[in-house]
Amino acid sequence: MIKGIKSFFGFISKMFKGKKHIKLGIYGPPNAGKSSIANMVVKDWLGEEMSTVSPIPHETREVVVKEKIHMKKKGKEITFNLVDTPGIATRIDYEDFLKFKMSAKDAKERAKEATKGVIESIKWLDDMDCVLVVLDSTQNPYNQVNITIIGNLAARDIPVLIVGNKIDLKKSDVKRIEAAFPQYPVIGISAEKRINVEAFYEEIFKLVR
Amino acid sequence: MLTLQFIPHHEISGLDMNGKIQKILKSVKEDKIILIEGRLHAQEESELIRRTMEVIDKKFKGIEICTVDYQPRNMLLSEKIKKTLANLLLNKNSGMTIIGPATVVKEIKKDPNKVELFTLEKRGKR
């Protein structure tokens, strides 16, 4: 009987514990700027660093979580755990890393870790409460990885905000992203040059409720 | 020589997710480009990517995948419902899925109007 009561309260406490901290995931293909956005958010609201960034694809090869990010703006407040995930790809070839003057041994190691990172990212999909899908706004948005990520989030009823990053670059085309995913809110930003950051935070307030 | 394998809907529709993925990966690992009648579900696609990552090795570098939907973008809601119901009744899944090994297919470029598949030139015998 006592065991039953304990397990009931354990379940209730777990349920509320789970609800307390919303998980905001950052998903997208490699090199879209997921970690740059994660760093920007964490720096702006916690004054800390989160992930390392690099022009070499698959720099983030493990899921990184920053807990209790508290945002306060115009009387509104939200608290969430930010989850920066490795880029999802369908192909990983160590030879691609050799172009970045990496040794064969390091390239092979990076490729091996990158495959594990993709697996981890996919596994974490079920745990998210809402997601920022970060796309490189200079690239073709009709890439199957983007469609698969967004399709999976839709199938799980997870709210999505599409972030078209790198709008400071000449080839950037946020309208093309909007046309590709008309049923989702899309915001263009440049995490590196800090363009449209305030509007981005407004959208996060709408997403994390 | 390129091998293109067509998988009709009835050949794959009776399989569970695991069976579908096994069948796809078996053909792709034999360096075949496969053309599936119908679309995979989003969860099947992500599971295919996950399982692909598990089997990447020195020879197999992953896949290129593209799904094509025939549904016109400006279709009315009533037409969409009609089409979905018809597909359900006929056990059909509209569209097409193209999957190829990354060692053969360099890129599948897709935009709203066309799909282009680019193959890699072989760099000597494997």
Side-chain angles (χ1 to χ4, degrees):
Chain A
M1 175 78 174
I2 293 169
K3 208 177 166 185
I5 294 168
K6 263 188 182 173
S7 92
F8 172 73
F9 279 108
F11 169 73
I12 296 288
S13 122
K14 253 188 195 172
M15 204 170 84
F16 280 98
K17 207 177 164 188
K19 284 272 171 214
K20 207 173 163 187
H21 300 298
I22 290 167
K23 284 196 198 87
L24 173 63
I26 304 185
Y27 275 81
N31 263 88
K34 296 178 293 302
S35 296
S36 298
I37 289 173
N39 279 340
M40 183 185 79
V41 172
V42 172
K43 192 140 202 171
D44 285 352
W45 300 94
L46 286 183
E48 295 171 17
E49 289 287 333
M50 185 169 182
S51 309
T52 54
V53 292
S54 158
I56 309 172
H58 299 283
E59 177 66 13
T60 306
R61 298 183 295 283
E62 279 178 358
V63 170
V64 186
V65 184
K66 199 58 135 180
E67 293 191 329
K68 290 186 195 167
I69 297 178
H70 186 72
M71 283 187 179
K72 201 174 172 182
K73 212 169 189 254
K74 295 178 188 166
K76 289 181 277 183
E77 286 182 51
I78 46 170
T79 304
F80 56 87
N81 293 344
L82 189 65
V83 185
D84 185 18
T85 66
I88 295 182
T90 58
R91 62 194 297 158
I92 291 171
D93 185 351
Y94 83 91
E95 287 182 26
D96 291 338
F97 301 126
L98 297 176
K99 294 171 201 156
F100 295 92
K101 291 178 181 171
M102 206 176 259
S103 72
K105 191 185 165 218
D106 288 347
K108 280 177 190 169
E109 189 56 34
R110 193 180 184 95
K112 201 175 161 189
E113 288 172 6
T115 59
K116 286 181 187 161
V118 175
I119 294 168
E120 214 189 331
S121 286
I122 293 170
K123 276 185 190 163
W124 272 72
L125 268 171
D126 280 324
D127 290 330
M128 299 301 161
D129 296 302
C130 40
V131 167
L132 302 175
V133 175
V134 179
L135 308 182
D136 180 339
S137 64
T138 68
Q139 301 291 316
N140 179 6
Y142 295 93
N143 177 315
Q144 192 60 37
V145 164
N146 303 342
I147 295 166
T148 302
I149 296 171
I150 292 169
N152 268 273
L153 296 167
R156 289 167 167 86
D157 264 332
I158 298 172
V160 168
L161 169 64
I162 301 178
V163 185
N165 192 23
K166 308 187 187 181
I167 58 166
D168 55 303
L169 301 179
K170 217 176 169 183
K171 277 187 177 173
S172 165
D173 190 349
V174 178
K175 288 233 172 336
R176 198 159 57 143
I177 300 176
E178 287 169 346
F181 304 104
Q183 57 278 63
Y184 294 96
V186 177
I187 180 112
I189 71 160
S190 165
E192 197 187 316
K193 300 275 162 63
R194 293 194 63 88
I195 302 170
N196 216 21
V197 175
E198 289 310 308
F200 166 68
Y201 287 138
E202 291 289 338
E203 290 297 324
I204 289 193
F205 272 97
K206 286 182 205 163
L207 183 73
V208 183
R209 276 189 285 204
Chain B
M1 188 180 68
L2 275 182
T3 311
L4 192 67
Q5 182 186 356
F6 176 67
I7 303 181
H9 181 67
H10 65 82
E11 210 176 285
I12 204 162
S13 61
L15 301 173
D16 62 7
M17 182 160 74
N18 190 39
K20 280 184 196 175
I21 291 168
Q22 265 182 0
K23 189 177 176 73
I24 292 167
L25 281 178
K26 185 179 176 284
S27 296
V28 172
K29 286 189 88 175
E30 287 166 359
D31 275 354
K32 290 175 186 163
I33 297 172
I34 55 173
L35 206 64
I36 303 169
E37 183 187 14
R39 292 190 55 170
L40 294 177
H41 296 296
Q43 272 148 318
E44 289 171 340
E45 281 174 24
S46 61
E47 183 60 13
L48 174 64
I49 297 174
R50 194 185 70 76
R51 296 268 292 273
T52 298
M53 290 297 123
E54 285 178 348
V55 292
I56 282 183
D57 58 21
K58 229 171 148 184
K59 199 183 162 212
F60 182 64
K61 314 280 187 188
I63 58 169
E64 275 297 313
I65 174 170
C66 176
T67 55
V68 184
D69 205 340
Y70 300 139
Q71 204 157 279
R73 297 175 70 79
N74 51 2
M75 199 186 237
L76 292 171
L77 182 68
S78 57
E79 287 171 335
K80 274 186 191 174
I81 294 169
K82 253 191 243 168
K83 200 178 170 197
T84 311
L85 280 174
N87 285 337
L88 277 172
L89 287 170
L90 297 167
N91 191 25
K92 279 266 181 185
N93 179 357
S94 70
M96 185 174 71
T97 307
I98 310 162
I99 306 169
T103 42
V104 177
V105 181
K106 187 182 172 194
E107 192 185 2
I108 305 175
K109 260 191 194 169
K110 181 183 166 189
D111 69 30
N113 307 314
K114 62 176 187 287
V115 176
E116 291 173 289
L117 186 144
F118 299 91
T119 55
L120 279 165
E121 279 175 38
K122 283 214 169 178
R123 287 170 289 185
K125 265 188 178 178
R126 272 204 310 262

